[in-house]
Amino acid sequence: MILELTITLVKILFIIGLTVGFFAPVLTWVERKQSAIMQDRVGANRADIMGFTALGLFHAIADAIKMFTKEDFVPQGANRFLHTLSPIIAVIPAILTFAVVPFGGQYELWGTHVNLVISDLDVGLLFVFAIASIATYGYVIAGWASNNNWSLLGSMRTASQMISYEVTMGLTIIGVLMVYGSMKLTEIGAAQEDFLSWGFFMQPLGFFMFLAASIAENKRIPFDAPEAESELVAGYFTEYSGLKFGMFFMAEFIEMVTIGAIVTILFFGAWHIPFLSAATILSWLDFLGANGANLVLMLIHIAVFFAKVIFFIWFQMTIRWTLPRFRYDQIMKLGWKILLPLSLANILVTGLVILAVH
Amino acid sequence: MAYFVDRTVKMTWWERLYLPAIIKGMYITSRHFFINLFGFVPFFLGQKKEREIFTLYYPEEMAPIPVAYRGRPVLAINENNLPNCVACGLCEAACPAYCIDIIPGENSGKQNEVERWPKEFTIDYAVCIFCGNCEEACPEEAIFMSDDYEIPMLDRKEMKFNLEQLSVPIEKLKDRVEFTRKMYGKWNY
């Protein structure tokens, strides 16, 4: 009992520490630096400690200090309670989805069964979507509570965009569920040990649609109508400053990690290495003994999983700094007229293929 | 006159897919990303490699300045630690912005003293337009346009530089001296 509790606590601390403590601050730096390097610029490199800049990594610390010390501004006529509540509603679901995201397989260590997921829910995938859609409330309330027309417009756009793309997202994963026959994220991950059974090869169209829909969910640039710097100042967080703004910002970056993790699990073989099964690695590590080999395998799998997640974060950033933004009607057209019929067709074709194979 | 732009450009099936164009764009941006990642970041870390992009880390790295560049005008100090200037006032007269101010000193008959020298020599960089007329007018190779362009200050009064602040040893101005001799035909009088 105590042991299980300890293991769960360690896993929770690991995930929280990694997302909030590592990914969220470092991604602010990565976004600036990567966009700079892609555009042949230099990028953030001024913040230094004792003349040591570390390629501008201290900008993350400087940003954090700036956000902590800024005035926490609430506009006149705003609803103070909801104004404070909405960034919390926005950031909590982003962190909460990691409760069901497995970051490794299942291992036997010193007689203990270690399952590298905080909570192995039977409806893991549904849980992710249920929690992620709660975040919509945060954005809508933020726009409404700010008493600002730009914010309200931004939050209306957020609501319509997130709802319309959630439909596509939900229909896209039905294809994945049909192929793997499970909603448990751990089982979907475990089913992709063979390279050719990765979701990307099973559901190539589903992968592209899921990625597009999830970037639209995250409101990043090809689909950034809710923020729309050139039209709405900053959209729903126009009236936010200091740590509240920081929470919206953090939510966006943690959602990027979430999207990376979900895409990795559903479509890119989770923690598996292509053409290299766990049994093969275990046979190589035979000299370490059963426990040692399992431990090393576990670490390798965690590293592989996060390498894939980092690749997808890089991929999302590249998309964000490559494509121009859609107009608002184009977003709606893409969501309802193209992606929705395509995802329905995807389900049909998947069903026919499964029927033909069995 | 009003005219209409033909917006009915027919896109081919391949173009309407968008995905090929997106992949092409991503290929271009990620190519830039990787070229710069491996060619530029190591450069910053100290490896002297052929640099791939031309953005400079400005305060740490300075762009090479061509010799014809007109930076702030300075006074040349010769080997005897004295200014070449004889306080003739030609530069003061040539200056279209009236930013040069000279108070001459004259030999009072002592031995081992130069004939004429500037007691005070002031250039107000807040007024100077960096035209280079002073350099062209100078018959004694005393005033030169240097390659220094970093003169912004918080206070306008501080931009009046006196003789001491203006002095630069002539060794540092060698290239510019050569250049002015060629350019303005000095020593060919």
Side-chain angles (χ1 to χ4, degrees):
Chain A
M1 184 61 204
I2 297 287
L3 188 67
E4 280 175 25
L5 202 64
T6 321
I7 291 171
T8 311
L9 275 177
V10 166
K11 285 189 285 198
I12 290 172
L13 283 179
F14 175 72
I15 279 293
I16 296 274
L18 202 67
T19 52
V20 181
F22 173 75
F23 273 119
V26 168
L27 283 184
T28 61
W29 170 79
V30 169
E31 175 120 72
R32 298 168 71 179
K33 203 74 180 174
Q34 184 179 339
S35 63
I37 291 177
M38 275 168 64
Q39 297 168 353
D40 294 353
R41 290 187 285 112
V42 172
N45 67 346
R46 286 297 99 182
D48 65 292
I49 294 175
M50 319 283 279
F52 185 64
T53 57
L55 286 170
L57 258 173
F58 297 129
H59 275 271
I61 300 168
D63 284 345
I65 293 169
K66 181 194 78 180
M67 277 173 182
F68 273 110
T69 50
K70 250 186 168 177
E71 184 195 352
D72 183 18
F73 179 75
V74 181
Q76 207 172 25
N79 187 326
R80 290 193 85 88
F81 175 70
L82 291 180
H83 190 267
T84 314
L85 187 68
S86 56
I88 300 168
I89 301 178
V91 79
I92 292 290
I95 304 171
L96 207 58
T97 39
F98 272 96
V100 295
V101 170
F103 48 96
Q106 309 192 10
Y107 312 94
E108 291 289 336
L109 296 174
W110 288 281
T112 319
H113 185 71
V114 178
N115 189 0
L116 284 183
V117 56
I118 293 168
S119 162
D120 197 2
L121 286 185
D122 286 338
V123 289
L125 204 47
L126 269 189
F127 179 84
V128 170
F129 287 98
I131 293 298
S133 53
I134 288 177
T136 317
Y137 288 104
Y139 300 123
V140 174
I141 291 171
W144 187 81
S146 296
N147 192 28
N148 180 323
N149 289 342
W150 283 313
S151 302
L152 193 60
L153 272 173
S155 65
M156 304 264 272
R157 286 182 178 193
T158 315
S160 57
Q161 180 176 321
M162 287 183 87
I163 287 165
S164 40
Y165 276 86
E166 215 134 88
V167 176
T168 312
M169 227 168 156
L171 289 174
T172 311
I173 55 160
I174 286 178
V176 179
L177 299 184
M178 284 161 81
V179 171
Y180 296 114
S182 172
M183 270 213 181
K184 257 187 172 175
L185 285 170
T186 45
E187 275 179 23
I188 293 176
Q192 302 183 31
E193 178 141 20
D194 183 20
F195 181 56
L196 287 174
S197 69
W198 281 17
F200 180 69
F201 300 106
M202 297 288 195
Q203 294 278 317
L205 188 62
F207 166 69
F208 287 112
M209 286 192 297
F210 184 84
L211 199 65
S214 54
I215 291 170
E217 284 285 288
N218 199 7
K219 302 173 289 303
R220 284 171 70 77
I221 247 182
F223 307 95
D224 80 327
E227 286 165 31
E229 279 158 8
S230 48
E231 304 159 26
L232 302 178
V233 187
Y236 54 86
F237 56 73
T238 306
E239 294 289 359
Y240 282 86
S241 67
L243 212 55
K244 287 183 197 165
F245 167 73
M247 280 164 96
F248 277 124
F249 212 57
M250 205 160 81
E252 185 184 321
F253 284 119
I254 294 173
E255 262 173 41
M256 272 180 74
V257 184
T258 316
I259 291 168
I262 298 288
V263 167
T264 306
I265 290 162
L266 294 186
F267 297 101
F268 271 81
W271 51 87
H272 299 298
I273 309 168
F275 304 117
L276 205 61
S277 68
T280 324
I281 301 173
L282 275 181
S283 67
W284 287 350
L285 296 167
D286 227 10
F287 61 92
L288 289 168
N291 286 325
N294 262 316
L295 189 69
V296 173
L297 182 70
M298 185 176 94
L299 295 178
I300 288 174
H301 278 171
I302 294 174
V304 167
F305 179 76
F306 280 105
K308 286 177 182 176
V309 170
I310 286 167
F311 169 77
F312 276 105
I313 291 168
W314 173 85
F315 192 73
Q316 289 177 60
M317 294 241 178
T318 312
I319 290 176
R320 188 238 179 278
W321 290 101
T322 300
L323 301 180
R325 36 194 296 266
F326 282 114
R327 216 167 49 214
Y328 184 65
D329 61 319
Q330 289 169 332
I331 291 179
M332 285 297 130
K333 196 180 158 196
L334 181 73
W336 289 107
K337 286 191 176 171
I338 299 170
L339 288 184
L340 184 64
L342 267 180
S343 56
L344 287 170
N346 187 39
I347 293 171
L348 183 74
V349 172
T350 310
L352 287 176
V353 169
I354 288 174
L355 210 63
V357 168
H358 292 294
Chain B
M1 205 180 84
Y3 65 94
F4 294 96
V5 181
D6 185 23
R7 303 254 188 229
T8 54
V9 181
K10 281 273 175 282
M11 287 200 289
T12 60
W13 178 81
W14 185 250
E15 282 170 336
R16 264 186 294 133
L17 261 183
Y18 287 116
L19 221 63
I22 288 173
I23 290 167
K24 206 172 159 190
M26 300 255 303
Y27 164 70
I28 291 168
T29 44
S30 47
R31 189 185 64 202
H32 275 255
F33 175 77
F34 283 113
I35 286 174
N36 294 334
L37 187 71
F38 297 118
F40 185 60
V41 174
F43 180 88
F44 177 69
L45 291 175
Q47 281 174 22
K48 291 291 170 209
K49 203 189 158 211
E50 187 76 28
R51 69 189 301 159
E52 309 270 349
I53 67 174
F54 304 100
T55 317
L56 295 166
Y57 283 88
Y58 161 57
E60 287 90 17
E61 281 182 288
M62 302 285 272
I65 302 285
V67 71
Y69 184 81
R70 298 198 299 265
R72 68 180 178 96
V74 293
L75 283 182
I77 298 292
N78 60 20
E79 296 79 12
N80 304 327
N81 226 359
L82 289 167
N84 273 348
C85 181
V86 294
C88 62
L90 281 179
C91 53
E92 202 176 359
C95 182
Y98 307 117
C99 71
I100 303 178
D101 217 2
I102 307 171
I103 297 175
E106 228 169 325
N107 193 338
S108 47
K110 277 187 258 172
Q111 287 288 322
N112 300 329
E113 198 182 32
V114 284
E115 199 58 34
R116 262 172 81 89
W117 74 97
K119 260 190 198 161
E120 269 178 45
F121 196 109
T122 321
I123 297 180
D124 191 348
Y125 289 135
V127 179
C128 180
I129 59 166
F130 307 97
C131 60
N133 281 5
C134 48
E135 184 188 40
E136 195 175 346
C138 184
E140 293 289 333
E141 293 192 335
I143 190 163
F144 288 104
M145 309 303 281
S146 68
D147 58 1
D148 183 11
Y149 51 85
E150 294 179 312
I151 43 175
M153 304 207 173
L154 292 175
D155 191 354
R156 194 175 281 203
K157 285 170 198 149
E158 285 172 31
M159 296 188 79
K160 270 191 176 174
F161 275 40
N162 62 23
L163 184 59
E164 246 170 71
Q165 289 166 301
L166 287 170
S167 301
V168 167
I170 198 152
E171 291 88 51
K172 283 190 182 171
L173 299 165
K174 258 187 185 144
D175 292 341
R176 185 72 191 182
V177 174
E178 287 288 316
F179 176 77
T180 48
R181 280 175 190 171
K182 266 188 242 162
M183 193 69 193
Y184 303 130
K186 289 188 180 177
W187 284 19
N188 289 340
Y189 286 139

